Amino acid sequence: MNFLSCFINVVTIVVLAVPGYFLRKTKLFPEGAATVLAVLLLYIAQPFLMMSSLFNQPFEPSMLINFMWVILFAIVLQILVFFAARLIFSASKEIAAKRACEATSYLGNVGFMGIPVMQMLFPENGEMVLYTVVYNIAFNAMCWTLGVYAVTGEKKSVKPYKIILNPPTIAAIVALPFFFLNVHIPVQVMTPVSYLGDMTLPLSMIILGVRLADMKPVLLVNNWRVYVASALKLVVSPLLSLGVLLLVDLICPLDRFVIIALYIIAAMPTASSALNFAEMYGGDRETAAASTLMSTILCIVTIPVLMLLLEFI
């Protein structure tokens, strides 16, 4: 995919935040609208997106090897970026802000944005979407463990049962048997499932626009940590991932599309999970929100540029 095509696709996605911004600025969206929409996104849209991405997809036993590689790298690469962020922000004296930046540096928007982006970039390659779904299962497990720990700094805040008991993972568990057994889902069921799943990307971007409208512009641009966290998430994370993947490929050959999928997933902007955890556990909400918004804005440029590297793989 050339730079211009990728750039247009990413801009199209980010532009979806504009309605949310203006609806909030004009007070047509009341205060707290983002929270209500986030509930709809987390408990309805994303779970149905996970199911629609798995239903009626052809499964072959040979895919299991690639799925295992995706899960392994999803865990390892996130841990590597997490510790890189801890090292970089270790000198910061503001503990809450430091923890927020550590979380936003590696928690990527895999579910809300990753799956739709993969569908847009590779419409003819269903395996790329499947790899993203599998990655998202591992991401959710990491999110509710390492992600919570990154924001709170307390092991007691980590609830192991959340690894399974979160809406996207439950949806994946429901859909996986149908996928593995190649059970055909009738169109009467697939249509509403797809409609609800397709809400994920617009909803996530509208929420982003609402949060941008509620934020003072100065908070977005005057915090050096926000730029560093965005650079870690958008540049260091994908390049580090690509380097590790190519190194492993020299020793144990990997499927080319596994490398590409993991590389693109690593290039996704910060997930709203970091902000949600900051709100839930009393973290630095402003820094988390600023980092999330900044990385999403900057990904308009970084994702197309990083995609150019794929021509040399």
Side-chain angles (χ1 to χ4, degrees):
M1 175 171 290
N2 61 46
F3 176 88
L4 182 60
S5 297
C6 185
F7 178 77
I8 291 172
N9 280 327
V10 177
V11 169
T12 300
I13 290 171
V14 177
V15 163
L16 295 176
V18 173
Y21 179 85
F22 283 108
L23 285 171
R24 178 65 188 126
K25 279 295 186 183
T26 55
K27 307 300 182 182
L28 291 173
F29 267 172
E31 190 172 342
T35 302
V36 175
L37 293 174
V39 171
L40 179 60
L41 177 65
L42 179 63
Y43 288 93
I44 301 296
Q46 192 186 11
F48 278 98
L49 176 64
M50 295 286 282
M51 288 191 288
S52 66
S53 300
L54 288 169
F55 285 160
N56 292 345
Q57 292 293 333
F59 168 73
E60 297 176 6
S62 59
M63 292 179 175
L64 290 174
I65 296 176
N66 287 341
F67 290 166
M68 294 304 295
W69 276 119
V70 170
I71 291 174
L72 175 63
F73 281 113
I75 296 171
V76 171
L77 295 173
Q78 287 182 82
I79 290 175
L80 285 176
V81 178
F82 169 71
F83 280 106
R86 291 201 77 175
L87 180 63
I88 290 173
F89 291 109
S90 60
S92 177
K93 295 181 180 180
E94 297 183 28
I95 303 300
K98 180 183 76 170
R99 289 173 178 165
C101 287
E102 288 172 359
T104 56
S105 295
Y106 87 93
L107 290 176
N109 198 340
V110 183
F112 301 156
M113 190 170 176
I115 295 175
V117 165
M118 207 66 77
Q119 290 172 333
M120 292 178 71
L121 297 182
F122 301 94
E124 305 299 325
N125 192 334
E127 283 192 28
M128 299 296 279
V129 175
L130 290 177
Y131 295 151
T132 311
V133 171
V134 172
Y135 188 107
N136 197 47
I137 295 172
F139 168 79
N140 283 321
M142 295 289 290
C143 195
W144 286 99
T145 51
L146 190 60
V148 172
Y149 176 73
V151 172
T152 63
E154 299 177 352
K155 294 181 181 179
K156 65 180 182 181
S157 298
V158 178
K159 308 295 182 184
Y161 65 86
K162 286 286 190 178
I163 294 174
I164 301 295
L165 296 182
N166 63 80
T169 301
I170 293 173
I173 291 172
V174 170
L176 281 172
F178 294 90
F179 170 66
F180 288 136
L181 296 174
N182 282 312
V183 176
H184 177 73
I185 306 298
V187 66
Q188 293 84 354
V189 175
M190 276 302 301
T191 299
V193 169
S194 298
Y195 282 162
L196 291 170
D198 288 343
M199 295 194 305
T200 301
L201 182 59
L203 263 179
S204 65
M205 290 296 105
I206 287 171
I207 293 169
L208 188 78
V210 173
R211 284 174 168 160
L212 181 60
D214 285 336
M215 177 174 287
K216 296 178 181 178
V218 67
L219 296 176
L220 189 63
V221 298
N222 72 343
N223 189 340
W224 65 270
R225 297 180 190 86
V226 170
Y227 296 101
V228 175
S230 296
L232 281 168
K233 183 68 206 71
L234 298 175
V235 181
V236 175
S237 177
L239 292 180
L240 177 63
S241 299
L242 182 61
V244 171
L245 289 165
L246 292 178
L247 182 61
V248 173
D249 186 52
L250 292 175
I251 303 169
C252 180
L254 302 172
D255 186 293
R256 177 173 178 267
F257 287 110
V258 169
I259 296 175
I260 294 173
L262 289 167
Y263 172 61
I264 294 174
I265 292 169
M268 291 297 106
T270 300
S272 59
S273 304
L275 174 56
N276 295 338
F277 289 150
E279 292 174 338
M280 289 169 58
Y281 297 103
D284 189 337
R285 181 185 178 280
E286 290 184 348
T287 299
S291 296
T292 303
L293 292 167
M294 180 62 77
S295 67
T296 304
I297 294 169
L298 294 178
C299 81
I300 294 174
V301 175
T302 58
I303 292 177
V305 170
L306 289 168
M307 286 290 289
L308 290 176
L309 292 179
L310 292 180
E311 297 181 10
F312 303 99
I313 298 178

